[in-house]
Amino acid sequence: MQKRPLGRTGLDIAPLVFGGNVFGWTADEKTSFSLLDAFTGAGFDAIDTADVYSAWAPGNKGGESETIIGNWLKRSGRARDSVVLITKVGSDMGQGHRDLSKKWILQEVEASLNRLQTDHIDLYLSHWPDERTPYEETLEAHAALVKAGKVRAFGASNLDAGQLQASFDAADKAGLPRYGALQPEYNLYDRAGFEGPLAELCQREHIGVITYYSLASGFLSGKYRSLADTKGKARGGGVVDYLDDKGMRILAALDRVGADTGAKPAEIALAWLMAKPAVTAPIASATSLDQLESLVKSANLRLSADHIAALDAAGA
């Protein structure tokens, strides 16, 4: 598996990241173990999660995904350095607000390390902007964790171009290391938030980019084409807004490229992301081995310039 450098973080990862948001939600522990075995068995190595996953599921409080990953890592017997663990901090875990204070980060990293059953996190991300906390304080906490060997590299998620630049300016002024990676929302449908100034800033500053909602909550898998298709599905409510003229244009373009390549819509949507110069790797999740097998194929799919142009136009 050809790996890609994740910006300036010093990490190299395969071009697809497994999204651990499904663990403890739509995938129980046994299923999650099978998915992780198959994913890493296919040559991939990066797994994304967060302390808050999957608090939204009935009966959950957060930490379920990290716990399952930690149990899998222990059970699998895999060498720790064969897996790149990515997790996030800063969501509301019951404290009533998003929190990137130094005190909270230093406290919450210990909880994540315990759940993951490891002595270090490869990439630790500030999950959301926190207007209450200065960038300097957050960066100081991350830098302390790197110095202590508990984190190898750190980055951010959900920052726009102005916020990311402000974090760079704060780091430079305080003599602190910068965020080295970014996790933005980006897919064939949702493009405005990343394309343009943010993507250009990431390329200019060599920031590693791993995209979330890479399949638009499953819409780009092609299995949701009408309101009727969303009924009774765990993610159905998340795709309703995509069922508009733009969404239909994108599905039609995916179908046309699929007719040329023999690939499924999800494989094409992920390959489109992998072909973008500002993107290191998309994040995608699966809840069955059949779904995972399809996702894995995306890393070997090479889209032609005409295919990419057609997809660009459909989602413009």
PDB file of all heavy atoms in Angstrom, residues 162-201:
ATOM      1  N   GLY A 162      -9.685  31.510   8.055  1.00  0.00           N
ATOM      2  CA  GLY A 162      -9.308  32.580   8.983  1.00  0.00           C
ATOM      3  C   GLY A 162      -8.899  32.042  10.338  1.00  0.00           C
ATOM      4  O   GLY A 162      -7.924  32.519  10.938  1.00  0.00           O
ATOM      5  N   GLN A 163      -9.619  31.055  10.821  1.00  0.00           N
ATOM      6  CA  GLN A 163      -9.298  30.461  12.122  1.00  0.00           C
ATOM      7  C   GLN A 163      -7.978  29.697  12.073  1.00  0.00           C
ATOM      8  O   GLN A 163      -7.169  29.778  13.006  1.00  0.00           O
ATOM      9  CB  GLN A 163     -10.434  29.538  12.555  1.00  0.00           C
ATOM     10  CG  GLN A 163     -11.719  30.264  12.909  1.00  0.00           C
ATOM     11  CD  GLN A 163     -12.902  29.330  13.032  1.00  0.00           C
ATOM     12  OE1 GLN A 163     -12.995  28.322  12.330  1.00  0.00           O
ATOM     13  NE2 GLN A 163     -13.811  29.648  13.940  1.00  0.00           N
ATOM     14  N   LEU A 164      -7.758  28.958  10.993  1.00  0.00           N
ATOM     15  CA  LEU A 164      -6.506  28.205  10.888  1.00  0.00           C
ATOM     16  C   LEU A 164      -5.316  29.156  10.806  1.00  0.00           C
ATOM     17  O   LEU A 164      -4.290  28.943  11.462  1.00  0.00           O
ATOM     18  CB  LEU A 164      -6.546  27.287   9.665  1.00  0.00           C
ATOM     19  CG  LEU A 164      -5.351  26.356   9.479  1.00  0.00           C
ATOM     20  CD1 LEU A 164      -5.166  25.450  10.688  1.00  0.00           C
ATOM     21  CD2 LEU A 164      -5.501  25.518   8.203  1.00  0.00           C
ATOM     22  N   GLN A 165      -5.451  30.232  10.023  1.00  0.00           N
ATOM     23  CA  GLN A 165      -4.372  31.215   9.930  1.00  0.00           C
ATOM     24  C   GLN A 165      -4.142  31.884  11.279  1.00  0.00           C
ATOM     25  O   GLN A 165      -2.989  32.117  11.673  1.00  0.00           O
ATOM     26  CB  GLN A 165      -4.706  32.269   8.878  1.00  0.00           C
ATOM     27  CG  GLN A 165      -3.597  33.291   8.660  1.00  0.00           C
ATOM     28  CD  GLN A 165      -2.311  32.665   8.175  1.00  0.00           C
ATOM     29  OE1 GLN A 165      -2.269  32.052   7.109  1.00  0.00           O
ATOM     30  NE2 GLN A 165      -1.225  32.818   8.946  1.00  0.00           N
ATOM     31  N   ALA A 166      -5.225  32.168  12.010  1.00  0.00           N
ATOM     32  CA  ALA A 166      -5.083  32.786  13.331  1.00  0.00           C
ATOM     33  C   ALA A 166      -4.344  31.857  14.284  1.00  0.00           C
ATOM     34  O   ALA A 166      -3.536  32.318  15.113  1.00  0.00           O
ATOM     35  CB  ALA A 166      -6.459  33.141  13.897  1.00  0.00           C
ATOM     36  N   SER A 167      -4.582  30.562  14.157  1.00  0.00           N
ATOM     37  CA  SER A 167      -3.861  29.612  15.013  1.00  0.00           C
ATOM     38  C   SER A 167      -2.379  29.592  14.667  1.00  0.00           C
ATOM     39  O   SER A 167      -1.526  29.478  15.556  1.00  0.00           O
ATOM     40  CB  SER A 167      -4.470  28.210  14.878  1.00  0.00           C
ATOM     41  OG  SER A 167      -4.059  27.558  13.695  1.00  0.00           O
ATOM     42  N   PHE A 168      -2.059  29.705  13.365  1.00  0.00           N
ATOM     43  CA  PHE A 168      -0.653  29.767  12.950  1.00  0.00           C
ATOM     44  C   PHE A 168       0.011  31.021  13.523  1.00  0.00           C
ATOM     45  O   PHE A 168       1.140  30.966  14.037  1.00  0.00           O
ATOM     46  CB  PHE A 168      -0.548  29.805  11.420  1.00  0.00           C
ATOM     47  CG  PHE A 168      -0.959  28.543  10.728  1.00  0.00           C
ATOM     48  CD1 PHE A 168      -1.304  28.563   9.384  1.00  0.00           C
ATOM     49  CD2 PHE A 168      -1.001  27.324  11.388  1.00  0.00           C
ATOM     50  CE1 PHE A 168      -1.672  27.412   8.718  1.00  0.00           C
ATOM     51  CE2 PHE A 168      -1.364  26.165  10.740  1.00  0.00           C
ATOM     52  CZ  PHE A 168      -1.711  26.208   9.395  1.00  0.00           C
ATOM     53  N   ASP A 169      -0.686  32.151  13.410  1.00  0.00           N
ATOM     54  CA  ASP A 169      -0.130  33.417  13.895  1.00  0.00           C
ATOM     55  C   ASP A 169       0.117  33.353  15.400  1.00  0.00           C
ATOM     56  O   ASP A 169       1.160  33.821  15.893  1.00  0.00           O
ATOM     57  CB  ASP A 169      -1.084  34.567  13.573  1.00  0.00           C
ATOM     58  CG  ASP A 169      -1.232  34.803  12.078  1.00  0.00           C
ATOM     59  OD1 ASP A 169      -0.379  34.332  11.313  1.00  0.00           O
ATOM     60  OD2 ASP A 169      -2.226  35.458  11.683  1.00  0.00           O
ATOM     61  N   ALA A 170      -0.828  32.754  16.120  1.00  0.00           N
ATOM     62  CA  ALA A 170      -0.684  32.648  17.573  1.00  0.00           C
ATOM     63  C   ALA A 170       0.486  31.750  17.934  1.00  0.00           C
ATOM     64  O   ALA A 170       1.255  32.047  18.862  1.00  0.00           O
ATOM     65  CB  ALA A 170      -1.972  32.106  18.181  1.00  0.00           C
ATOM     66  N   ALA A 171       0.635  30.652  17.192  1.00  0.00           N
ATOM     67  CA  ALA A 171       1.741  29.734  17.455  1.00  0.00           C
ATOM     68  C   ALA A 171       3.084  30.414  17.219  1.00  0.00           C
ATOM     69  O   ALA A 171       4.010  30.307  18.042  1.00  0.00           O
ATOM     70  CB  ALA A 171       1.606  28.504  16.560  1.00  0.00           C
ATOM     71  N   ASP A 172       3.173  31.117  16.104  1.00  0.00           N
ATOM     72  CA  ASP A 172       4.435  31.775  15.765  1.00  0.00           C
ATOM     73  C   ASP A 172       4.795  32.849  16.785  1.00  0.00           C
ATOM     74  O   ASP A 172       5.953  32.981  17.204  1.00  0.00           O
ATOM     75  CB  ASP A 172       4.335  32.392  14.364  1.00  0.00           C
ATOM     76  CG  ASP A 172       4.191  31.348  13.272  1.00  0.00           C
ATOM     77  OD1 ASP A 172       4.401  30.142  13.558  1.00  0.00           O
ATOM     78  OD2 ASP A 172       3.825  31.720  12.139  1.00  0.00           O
ATOM     79  N   LYS A 173       3.797  33.601  17.219  1.00  0.00           N
ATOM     80  CA  LYS A 173       4.047  34.675  18.177  1.00  0.00           C
ATOM     81  C   LYS A 173       4.481  34.119  19.524  1.00  0.00           C
ATOM     82  O   LYS A 173       5.352  34.702  20.196  1.00  0.00           O
ATOM     83  CB  LYS A 173       2.781  35.524  18.337  1.00  0.00           C
ATOM     84  CG  LYS A 173       2.970  36.735  19.240  1.00  0.00           C
ATOM     85  CD  LYS A 173       1.699  37.578  19.283  1.00  0.00           C
ATOM     86  CE  LYS A 173       1.904  38.797  20.180  1.00  0.00           C
ATOM     87  NZ  LYS A 173       0.664  39.643  20.224  1.00  0.00           N
ATOM     88  N   ALA A 174       3.915  32.975  19.913  1.00  0.00           N
ATOM     89  CA  ALA A 174       4.218  32.397  21.225  1.00  0.00           C
ATOM     90  C   ALA A 174       5.383  31.412  21.179  1.00  0.00           C
ATOM     91  O   ALA A 174       5.786  30.876  22.218  1.00  0.00           O
ATOM     92  CB  ALA A 174       2.982  31.686  21.771  1.00  0.00           C
ATOM     93  N   GLY A 175       5.926  31.170  19.999  1.00  0.00           N
ATOM     94  CA  GLY A 175       7.028  30.221  19.875  1.00  0.00           C
ATOM     95  C   GLY A 175       6.586  28.788  20.097  1.00  0.00           C
ATOM     96  O   GLY A 175       7.354  27.959  20.606  1.00  0.00           O
ATOM     97  N   LEU A 176       5.361  28.480  19.691  1.00  0.00           N
ATOM     98  CA  LEU A 176       4.798  27.137  19.858  1.00  0.00           C
ATOM     99  C   LEU A 176       4.664  26.445  18.513  1.00  0.00           C
ATOM    100  O   LEU A 176       4.565  27.114  17.469  1.00  0.00           O
ATOM    101  CB  LEU A 176       3.412  27.227  20.515  1.00  0.00           C
ATOM    102  CG  LEU A 176       3.383  27.721  21.963  1.00  0.00           C
ATOM    103  CD1 LEU A 176       1.964  28.111  22.358  1.00  0.00           C
ATOM    104  CD2 LEU A 176       3.915  26.631  22.882  1.00  0.00           C
ATOM    105  N   PRO A 177       4.649  25.108  18.486  1.00  0.00           N
ATOM    106  CA  PRO A 177       4.439  24.413  17.220  1.00  0.00           C
ATOM    107  C   PRO A 177       3.022  24.631  16.706  1.00  0.00           C
ATOM    108  O   PRO A 177       2.080  24.809  17.478  1.00  0.00           O
ATOM    109  CB  PRO A 177       4.683  22.946  17.583  1.00  0.00           C
ATOM    110  CG  PRO A 177       4.490  22.852  19.049  1.00  0.00           C
ATOM    111  CD  PRO A 177       4.894  24.176  19.617  1.00  0.00           C
ATOM    112  N   ARG A 178       2.889  24.621  15.385  1.00  0.00           N
ATOM    113  CA  ARG A 178       1.595  24.830  14.743  1.00  0.00           C
ATOM    114  C   ARG A 178       0.804  23.519  14.648  1.00  0.00           C
ATOM    115  O   ARG A 178       1.359  22.432  14.732  1.00  0.00           O
ATOM    116  CB  ARG A 178       1.794  25.344  13.319  1.00  0.00           C
ATOM    117  CG  ARG A 178       2.402  26.709  13.173  1.00  0.00           C
ATOM    118  CD  ARG A 178       2.577  26.998  11.689  1.00  0.00           C
ATOM    119  NE  ARG A 178       2.909  28.391  11.399  1.00  0.00           N
ATOM    120  CZ  ARG A 178       2.875  28.920  10.185  1.00  0.00           C
ATOM    121  NH1 ARG A 178       2.530  28.150   9.148  1.00  0.00           N
ATOM    122  NH2 ARG A 178       3.172  30.177   9.994  1.00  0.00           N
ATOM    123  N   TYR A 179      -0.498  23.670  14.414  1.00  0.00           N
ATOM    124  CA  TYR A 179      -1.283  22.518  13.993  1.00  0.00           C
ATOM    125  C   TYR A 179      -0.675  21.975  12.697  1.00  0.00           C
ATOM    126  O   TYR A 179      -0.362  22.730  11.781  1.00  0.00           O
ATOM    127  CB  TYR A 179      -2.734  22.920  13.712  1.00  0.00           C
ATOM    128  CG  TYR A 179      -3.584  23.188  14.927  1.00  0.00           C
ATOM    129  CD1 TYR A 179      -4.369  24.342  15.006  1.00  0.00           C
ATOM    130  CD2 TYR A 179      -3.639  22.282  15.973  1.00  0.00           C
ATOM    131  CE1 TYR A 179      -5.180  24.580  16.113  1.00  0.00           C
ATOM    132  CE2 TYR A 179      -4.446  22.514  17.085  1.00  0.00           C
ATOM    133  CZ  TYR A 179      -5.215  23.667  17.143  1.00  0.00           C
ATOM    134  OH  TYR A 179      -6.009  23.899  18.239  1.00  0.00           O
ATOM    135  N   GLY A 180      -0.550  20.653  12.613  1.00  0.00           N
ATOM    136  CA  GLY A 180       0.069  20.058  11.432  1.00  0.00           C
ATOM    137  C   GLY A 180      -0.889  19.328  10.526  1.00  0.00           C
ATOM    138  O   GLY A 180      -0.518  18.898   9.434  1.00  0.00           O
ATOM    139  N   ALA A 181      -2.137  19.175  10.973  1.00  0.00           N
ATOM    140  CA  ALA A 181      -3.132  18.464  10.174  1.00  0.00           C
ATOM    141  C   ALA A 181      -4.495  19.098  10.391  1.00  0.00           C
ATOM    142  O   ALA A 181      -4.737  19.743  11.418  1.00  0.00           O
ATOM    143  CB  ALA A 181      -3.170  16.981  10.553  1.00  0.00           C
ATOM    144  N   LEU A 182      -5.372  18.910   9.425  1.00  0.00           N
ATOM    145  CA  LEU A 182      -6.722  19.444   9.509  1.00  0.00           C
ATOM    146  C   LEU A 182      -7.717  18.376   9.078  1.00  0.00           C
ATOM    147  O   LEU A 182      -7.469  17.628   8.132  1.00  0.00           O
ATOM    148  CB  LEU A 182      -6.874  20.669   8.604  1.00  0.00           C
ATOM    149  CG  LEU A 182      -8.253  21.347   8.637  1.00  0.00           C
ATOM    150  CD1 LEU A 182      -8.463  22.073   9.962  1.00  0.00           C
ATOM    151  CD2 LEU A 182      -8.414  22.317   7.467  1.00  0.00           C
ATOM    152  N   GLN A 183      -8.838  18.319   9.797  1.00  0.00           N
ATOM    153  CA  GLN A 183      -9.923  17.411   9.421  1.00  0.00           C
ATOM    154  C   GLN A 183     -11.162  18.254   9.099  1.00  0.00           C
ATOM    155  O   GLN A 183     -11.915  18.632   9.996  1.00  0.00           O
ATOM    156  CB  GLN A 183     -10.217  16.424  10.550  1.00  0.00           C
ATOM    157  CG  GLN A 183     -11.209  15.347  10.146  1.00  0.00           C
ATOM    158  CD  GLN A 183     -11.419  14.318  11.248  1.00  0.00           C
ATOM    159  OE1 GLN A 183     -12.538  14.123  11.703  1.00  0.00           O
ATOM    160  NE2 GLN A 183     -10.353  13.668  11.687  1.00  0.00           N
ATOM    161  N   PRO A 184     -11.382  18.568   7.823  1.00  0.00           N
ATOM    162  CA  PRO A 184     -12.544  19.360   7.420  1.00  0.00           C
ATOM    163  C   PRO A 184     -13.648  18.475   6.845  1.00  0.00           C
ATOM    164  O   PRO A 184     -13.410  17.347   6.408  1.00  0.00           O
ATOM    165  CB  PRO A 184     -11.970  20.247   6.315  1.00  0.00           C
ATOM    166  CG  PRO A 184     -10.972  19.326   5.631  1.00  0.00           C
ATOM    167  CD  PRO A 184     -10.421  18.408   6.713  1.00  0.00           C
ATOM    168  N   GLU A 185     -14.855  19.008   6.809  1.00  0.00           N
ATOM    169  CA  GLU A 185     -15.925  18.353   6.065  1.00  0.00           C
ATOM    170  C   GLU A 185     -15.708  18.632   4.588  1.00  0.00           C
ATOM    171  O   GLU A 185     -15.552  19.789   4.183  1.00  0.00           O
ATOM    172  CB  GLU A 185     -17.288  18.900   6.501  1.00  0.00           C
ATOM    173  CG  GLU A 185     -18.458  18.312   5.723  1.00  0.00           C
ATOM    174  CD  GLU A 185     -19.810  18.856   6.169  1.00  0.00           C
ATOM    175  OE1 GLU A 185     -19.831  19.696   7.088  1.00  0.00           O
ATOM    176  OE2 GLU A 185     -20.828  18.444   5.595  1.00  0.00           O
ATOM    177  N   TYR A 186     -15.695  17.582   3.783  1.00  0.00           N
ATOM    178  CA  TYR A 186     -15.459  17.778   2.349  1.00  0.00           C
ATOM    179  C   TYR A 186     -15.889  16.527   1.607  1.00  0.00           C
ATOM    180  O   TYR A 186     -15.485  15.413   1.964  1.00  0.00           O
ATOM    181  CB  TYR A 186     -13.984  18.074   2.094  1.00  0.00           C
ATOM    182  CG  TYR A 186     -13.634  18.397   0.651  1.00  0.00           C
ATOM    183  CD1 TYR A 186     -14.402  19.291  -0.093  1.00  0.00           C
ATOM    184  CD2 TYR A 186     -12.529  17.822   0.039  1.00  0.00           C
ATOM    185  CE1 TYR A 186     -14.070  19.605  -1.405  1.00  0.00           C
ATOM    186  CE2 TYR A 186     -12.190  18.134  -1.269  1.00  0.00           C
ATOM    187  CZ  TYR A 186     -12.957  19.023  -1.995  1.00  0.00           C
ATOM    188  OH  TYR A 186     -12.635  19.320  -3.299  1.00  0.00           O
ATOM    189  N   ASN A 187     -16.717  16.716   0.608  1.00  0.00           N
ATOM    190  CA  ASN A 187     -17.129  15.620  -0.264  1.00  0.00           C
ATOM    191  C   ASN A 187     -17.645  16.204  -1.570  1.00  0.00           C
ATOM    192  O   ASN A 187     -17.659  17.429  -1.758  1.00  0.00           O
ATOM    193  CB  ASN A 187     -18.199  14.752   0.435  1.00  0.00           C
ATOM    194  CG  ASN A 187     -19.411  15.548   0.870  1.00  0.00           C
ATOM    195  OD1 ASN A 187     -20.083  16.182   0.059  1.00  0.00           O
ATOM    196  ND2 ASN A 187     -19.701  15.526   2.173  1.00  0.00           N
ATOM    197  N   LEU A 188     -18.083  15.350  -2.474  1.00  0.00           N
ATOM    198  CA  LEU A 188     -18.534  15.801  -3.785  1.00  0.00           C
ATOM    199  C   LEU A 188     -19.673  16.810  -3.715  1.00  0.00           C
ATOM    200  O   LEU A 188     -19.804  17.658  -4.591  1.00  0.00           O
ATOM    201  CB  LEU A 188     -18.996  14.593  -4.613  1.00  0.00           C
ATOM    202  CG  LEU A 188     -18.043  14.047  -5.656  1.00  0.00           C
ATOM    203  CD1 LEU A 188     -18.582  12.742  -6.222  1.00  0.00           C
ATOM    204  CD2 LEU A 188     -17.824  15.061  -6.774  1.00  0.00           C
ATOM    205  N   TYR A 189     -20.500  16.726  -2.679  1.00  0.00           N
ATOM    206  CA  TYR A 189     -21.629  17.641  -2.535  1.00  0.00           C
ATOM    207  C   TYR A 189     -21.240  18.872  -1.719  1.00  0.00           C
ATOM    208  O   TYR A 189     -21.503  20.006  -2.135  1.00  0.00           O
ATOM    209  CB  TYR A 189     -22.802  16.912  -1.869  1.00  0.00           C
ATOM    210  CG  TYR A 189     -24.090  17.708  -1.852  1.00  0.00           C
ATOM    211  CD1 TYR A 189     -25.135  17.387  -2.707  1.00  0.00           C
ATOM    212  CD2 TYR A 189     -24.268  18.769  -0.963  1.00  0.00           C
ATOM    213  CE1 TYR A 189     -26.324  18.114  -2.699  1.00  0.00           C
ATOM    214  CE2 TYR A 189     -25.440  19.497  -0.943  1.00  0.00           C
ATOM    215  CZ  TYR A 189     -26.470  19.169  -1.812  1.00  0.00           C
ATOM    216  OH  TYR A 189     -27.633  19.897  -1.793  1.00  0.00           O
ATOM    217  N   ASP A 190     -20.617  18.661  -0.573  1.00  0.00           N
ATOM    218  CA  ASP A 190     -20.255  19.756   0.344  1.00  0.00           C
ATOM    219  C   ASP A 190     -18.825  20.205   0.064  1.00  0.00           C
ATOM    220  O   ASP A 190     -17.867  19.632   0.578  1.00  0.00           O
ATOM    221  CB  ASP A 190     -20.380  19.288   1.797  1.00  0.00           C
ATOM    222  CG  ASP A 190     -21.793  18.856   2.135  1.00  0.00           C
ATOM    223  OD1 ASP A 190     -22.705  19.688   2.030  1.00  0.00           O
ATOM    224  OD2 ASP A 190     -21.983  17.681   2.496  1.00  0.00           O
ATOM    225  N   ARG A 191     -18.689  21.239  -0.749  1.00  0.00           N
ATOM    226  CA  ARG A 191     -17.355  21.644  -1.214  1.00  0.00           C
ATOM    227  C   ARG A 191     -16.960  23.060  -0.820  1.00  0.00           C
ATOM    228  O   ARG A 191     -15.774  23.371  -0.700  1.00  0.00           O
ATOM    229  CB  ARG A 191     -17.283  21.493  -2.742  1.00  0.00           C
ATOM    230  CG  ARG A 191     -17.335  20.046  -3.189  1.00  0.00           C
ATOM    231  CD  ARG A 191     -17.615  19.874  -4.668  1.00  0.00           C
ATOM    232  NE  ARG A 191     -16.724  20.639  -5.508  1.00  0.00           N
ATOM    233  CZ  ARG A 191     -16.802  20.657  -6.851  1.00  0.00           C
ATOM    234  NH1 ARG A 191     -17.740  19.961  -7.465  1.00  0.00           N
ATOM    235  NH2 ARG A 191     -15.954  21.380  -7.560  1.00  0.00           N
ATOM    236  N   ALA A 192     -17.943  23.918  -0.621  1.00  0.00           N
ATOM    237  CA  ALA A 192     -17.644  25.338  -0.425  1.00  0.00           C
ATOM    238  C   ALA A 192     -16.815  25.611   0.823  1.00  0.00           C
ATOM    239  O   ALA A 192     -16.006  26.544   0.848  1.00  0.00           O
ATOM    240  CB  ALA A 192     -18.945  26.141  -0.374  1.00  0.00           C
ATOM    241  N   GLY A 193     -16.994  24.799   1.872  1.00  0.00           N
ATOM    242  CA  GLY A 193     -16.276  25.056   3.112  1.00  0.00           C
ATOM    243  C   GLY A 193     -14.788  24.776   3.039  1.00  0.00           C
ATOM    244  O   GLY A 193     -14.007  25.315   3.836  1.00  0.00           O
ATOM    245  N   PHE A 194     -14.374  23.933   2.091  1.00  0.00           N
ATOM    246  CA  PHE A 194     -12.951  23.585   2.010  1.00  0.00           C
ATOM    247  C   PHE A 194     -12.276  24.156   0.770  1.00  0.00           C
ATOM    248  O   PHE A 194     -11.160  24.675   0.854  1.00  0.00           O
ATOM    249  CB  PHE A 194     -12.771  22.077   2.043  1.00  0.00           C
ATOM    250  CG  PHE A 194     -11.322  21.633   1.979  1.00  0.00           C
ATOM    251  CD1 PHE A 194     -10.455  21.946   3.012  1.00  0.00           C
ATOM    252  CD2 PHE A 194     -10.840  20.946   0.878  1.00  0.00           C
ATOM    253  CE1 PHE A 194      -9.118  21.579   2.952  1.00  0.00           C
ATOM    254  CE2 PHE A 194      -9.503  20.564   0.814  1.00  0.00           C
ATOM    255  CZ  PHE A 194      -8.641  20.884   1.844  1.00  0.00           C
ATOM    256  N   GLU A 195     -12.928  24.046  -0.380  1.00  0.00           N
ATOM    257  CA  GLU A 195     -12.304  24.535  -1.607  1.00  0.00           C
ATOM    258  C   GLU A 195     -12.114  26.047  -1.552  1.00  0.00           C
ATOM    259  O   GLU A 195     -12.907  26.763  -0.954  1.00  0.00           O
ATOM    260  CB  GLU A 195     -13.154  24.139  -2.811  1.00  0.00           C
ATOM    261  CG  GLU A 195     -13.145  22.636  -3.073  1.00  0.00           C
ATOM    262  CD  GLU A 195     -13.927  22.238  -4.310  1.00  0.00           C
ATOM    263  OE1 GLU A 195     -14.575  23.119  -4.922  1.00  0.00           O
ATOM    264  OE2 GLU A 195     -13.905  21.045  -4.660  1.00  0.00           O
ATOM    265  N   GLY A 196     -11.056  26.513  -2.150  1.00  0.00           N
ATOM    266  CA  GLY A 196     -10.766  27.940  -2.112  1.00  0.00           C
ATOM    267  C   GLY A 196      -9.730  28.266  -1.053  1.00  0.00           C
ATOM    268  O   GLY A 196      -8.714  27.565  -0.925  1.00  0.00           O
ATOM    269  N   PRO A 197      -9.956  29.291  -0.235  1.00  0.00           N
ATOM    270  CA  PRO A 197      -8.941  29.772   0.714  1.00  0.00           C
ATOM    271  C   PRO A 197      -8.423  28.709   1.675  1.00  0.00           C
ATOM    272  O   PRO A 197      -7.218  28.673   1.960  1.00  0.00           O
ATOM    273  CB  PRO A 197      -9.674  30.889   1.464  1.00  0.00           C
ATOM    274  CG  PRO A 197     -10.696  31.383   0.497  1.00  0.00           C
ATOM    275  CD  PRO A 197     -11.144  30.166  -0.260  1.00  0.00           C
ATOM    276  N   LEU A 198      -9.297  27.833   2.191  1.00  0.00           N
ATOM    277  CA  LEU A 198      -8.833  26.847   3.174  1.00  0.00           C
ATOM    278  C   LEU A 198      -7.938  25.800   2.519  1.00  0.00           C
ATOM    279  O   LEU A 198      -6.871  25.476   3.048  1.00  0.00           O
ATOM    280  CB  LEU A 198     -10.028  26.180   3.860  1.00  0.00           C
ATOM    281  CG  LEU A 198      -9.693  25.179   4.969  1.00  0.00           C
ATOM    282  CD1 LEU A 198      -8.800  25.806   6.034  1.00  0.00           C
ATOM    283  CD2 LEU A 198     -10.970  24.632   5.606  1.00  0.00           C
ATOM    284  N   ALA A 199      -8.358  25.265   1.388  1.00  0.00           N
ATOM    285  CA  ALA A 199      -7.528  24.284   0.688  1.00  0.00           C
ATOM    286  C   ALA A 199      -6.200  24.896   0.263  1.00  0.00           C
ATOM    287  O   ALA A 199      -5.136  24.264   0.377  1.00  0.00           O
ATOM    288  CB  ALA A 199      -8.278  23.738  -0.536  1.00  0.00           C
ATOM    289  N   GLU A 200      -6.256  26.137  -0.197  1.00  0.00           N
ATOM    290  CA  GLU A 200      -5.030  26.815  -0.631  1.00  0.00           C
ATOM    291  C   GLU A 200      -4.081  27.029   0.541  1.00  0.00           C
ATOM    292  O   GLU A 200      -2.857  26.859   0.406  1.00  0.00           O
ATOM    293  CB  GLU A 200      -5.396  28.152  -1.280  1.00  0.00           C
ATOM    294  CG  GLU A 200      -6.131  27.981  -2.610  1.00  0.00           C
ATOM    295  CD  GLU A 200      -6.848  29.255  -3.047  1.00  0.00           C
ATOM    296  OE1 GLU A 200      -6.655  30.302  -2.381  1.00  0.00           O
ATOM    297  OE2 GLU A 200      -7.593  29.205  -4.048  1.00  0.00           O
ATOM    298  N   LEU A 201      -4.625  27.388   1.696  1.00  0.00           N
ATOM    299  CA  LEU A 201      -3.793  27.574   2.893  1.00  0.00           C
ATOM    300  C   LEU A 201      -3.155  26.253   3.306  1.00  0.00           C
ATOM    301  O   LEU A 201      -1.960  26.216   3.646  1.00  0.00           O
ATOM    302  CB  LEU A 201      -4.644  28.134   4.034  1.00  0.00           C
ATOM    303  CG  LEU A 201      -3.953  28.328   5.381  1.00  0.00           C
ATOM    304  CD1 LEU A 201      -2.778  29.291   5.257  1.00  0.00           C
ATOM    305  CD2 LEU A 201      -4.953  28.835   6.426  1.00  0.00           C
TER     306      LEU A 201
END
